[in-house]
Amino acid sequence: MSGFAAIGECMIELSGANGDQWRMGFAGDTLNTTWYVRALTDTDFAVDYVTAFGDDPFSVKQRRFLRDNAINTAHSPTIVGARPGIYAITLTGSERSFTYWRNDAAARHLADDPDAVAKSLDGRQVIYFSGITMGILSPKSRQNVLNAVSNARRQGSLVVFDANYRPRLWENADTARQVLSNAFHVTDIALPTFPDENALFGDATPAHTAARITGYGVREIVVKDGTEPALVIAGGTSTEVPAVRANAVDTTGAGDSFNGGYIASRLAGLDPLVAAVNAHKVAARVVEFHGALAPMEEARKAFEA
């Protein structure tokens, strides 16, 4: 087993608005985490992003962007006539809201071919996916992802999952609860966010979230809660790890960068509590930049501090 593979959607990001002038980049929840895993691991450690691309000029730019930043794309297909989804970040202070255009995004077809997605995950040390990954897919493709992840796990891959619930992606809440619960059942490390879990499952506290996810058979859980402490469940113990203060200008990607810092720490052999401390440091630095992707060197400095 070697390398890391994440599954999801690479979108065009419009951020840092100055009047009617916007900065264009690329981002997306699992891509953001992949970016930070790439930043925080050795250069010879293979990192892949499993998605689907269109055949338009912006999709070509996506592929080039990933390649230029040492992120490979495994067996990700090209969908003729498709194009990337787009989102724009609107800020009120440092807190963000999003506007999306993604109904015909190529990434919605990333798991239409079950053999391709399975090959993309074959032999990976760590596999990461999210509720957004599942939410953008058709029911059949959702099952293709679960089958591929479950099979890779049986072969020895470690599976990491963040439910990352976004209501607008789902047919209804009941479907979301069922699909996300199924995903937790094939998970080794869960990295949920408490407000999301509260909204979908009605968990009253982070401890309730951790208890429910433990019931799925997950043995390592970190419940994120914004600037509140993260609750770490590992080795039969429960510990709160305080967040790190930051001069936030844009909270986009905070949870995703936490996930990247946590995964990179665990890949380095660090224990879960140290991993959570490192993850908080990375997230605190990331929110001091506009957009989801802070410079890799800045994430590394925070990680090593």
Side-chain angles (χ1 to χ4, degrees), residues 19 28 30 49 52 59 63-64 87 108 111 117 160 177 219 237:
T30 56
Y49 194 64
S59 296
R63 285 188 181 271
R64 184 181 304 123
Y87 76 97
R108 289 183 175 271
V117 72
V160 185
R177 278 189 285 268
R219 293 292 173 260
T237 64

Side-chain angles (χ1 to χ4, degrees), residues 240-260:
E240 289 189 343
V241 177
V244 174
R245 292 178 62 87
N247 297 314
V249 299
D250 181 353
T251 57
T252 306
D256 303 329
S257 60
F258 180 102
N259 292 355

Side-chain angles (χ1 to χ4, degrees), residues 203-240:
D203 299 333
T205 65
H208 285 99
T209 294
R212 176 176 50 80
I213 295 173
T214 297
Y216 301 132
V218 185
R219 293 292 173 260
E220 184 171 330
I221 304 164
V222 183
V223 185
K224 306 184 297 289
D225 194 11
T227 57
E228 297 300 313
L231 181 63
V232 180
I233 311 297
T237 64
S238 175
T239 308
E240 289 189 343

Side-chain angles (χ1 to χ4, degrees), residues 5-298:
I7 315 165
E9 180 179 20
C10 177
M11 304 185 75
I12 294 171
E13 178 191 77
L14 303 178
S15 68
N18 180 13
D20 290 330
Q21 302 297 312
W22 294 74
R23 182 183 65 190
M24 191 195 88
F26 297 110
D29 74 318
T30 56
L31 175 63
N32 305 339
T33 296
T34 303
W35 176 266
Y36 295 109
V37 171
R38 174 70 289 165
L40 305 175
T41 53
D42 292 338
T43 55
D44 60 353
F45 182 75
V47 172
D48 278 81
Y49 194 64
V50 182
T51 187
F53 299 96
D55 58 355
D56 64 299
F58 289 100
S59 296
V60 172
K61 288 179 181 290
Q62 280 182 321
R63 285 188 181 271
R64 184 181 304 123
F65 169 78
L66 294 171
R67 182 178 65 247
D68 289 349
N69 287 285
I71 299 171
N72 303 315
T73 54
H75 296 275
S76 299
T78 297
I79 310 300
V80 175
R83 59 192 64 83
I86 303 173
Y87 76 97
I89 303 170
T90 304
L91 293 173
T92 302
S94 63
E95 291 302 319
R96 74 280 191 266
S97 59
F98 304 106
T99 304
Y100 291 94
W101 300 266
R102 74 193 321 172
N103 287 344
D104 60 350
R108 289 183 175 271
H109 302 282
L110 67 87
D112 286 2
D113 180 347
D115 292 336
V117 72
K119 288 178 183 177
S120 291
L121 305 184
D122 186 43
R124 305 295 174 162
Q125 182 178 350
V126 175
I127 294 168
Y128 175 70
F129 71 122
S130 77
I132 291 178
T133 306
M134 302 302 280
I136 66 172
L137 302 177
S138 69
K140 182 177 180 180
S141 290
R142 290 170 186 162
Q143 192 58 52
N144 288 343
V145 168
L146 284 178
N147 291 345
V149 169
S150 181
N151 183 65
R153 187 176 183 234
R154 284 193 296 270
Q155 300 302 315
S157 296
L158 186 78
V159 176
V160 185
F161 178 68
D162 180 353
N164 221 352
Y165 174 57
R166 299 295 180 267
R168 70 182 65 191
L169 295 180
W170 295 93
E171 300 91 324
N172 52 64
D174 285 342
T175 299
R177 278 189 285 268
Q178 184 62 59
V179 172
L180 298 183
S181 296
N182 290 343
F184 278 123
H185 274 99
V186 299
T187 294
D188 297 293
I189 300 176
L191 299 174
T193 299
F194 172 64
D196 297 347
E197 303 299 306
N198 168 264
L200 183 59
F201 291 97
D203 299 333
T205 65
H208 285 99
T209 294
R212 176 176 50 80
I213 295 173
T214 297
Y216 301 132
V218 185
R219 293 292 173 260
E220 184 171 330
I221 304 164
V222 183
V223 185
K224 306 184 297 289
D225 194 11
T227 57
E228 297 300 313
L231 181 63
V232 180
I233 311 297
T237 64
S238 175
T239 308
E240 289 189 343
V241 177
V244 174
R245 292 178 62 87
N247 297 314
V249 299
D250 181 353
T251 57
T252 306
D256 303 329
S257 60
F258 180 102
N259 292 355
Y262 190 86
I263 293 167
S265 295
R266 298 295 281 130
L267 281 166
L270 301 176
D271 72 43
L273 294 182
V274 175
V277 171
N278 288 344
H280 274 313
K281 291 191 295 185
V282 172
R285 186 60 178 133
V286 166
V287 300
E288 295 179 336
F289 292 87
H290 285 286
L293 303 185
M296 286 189 181
E297 60 270 21
E298 295 296 331

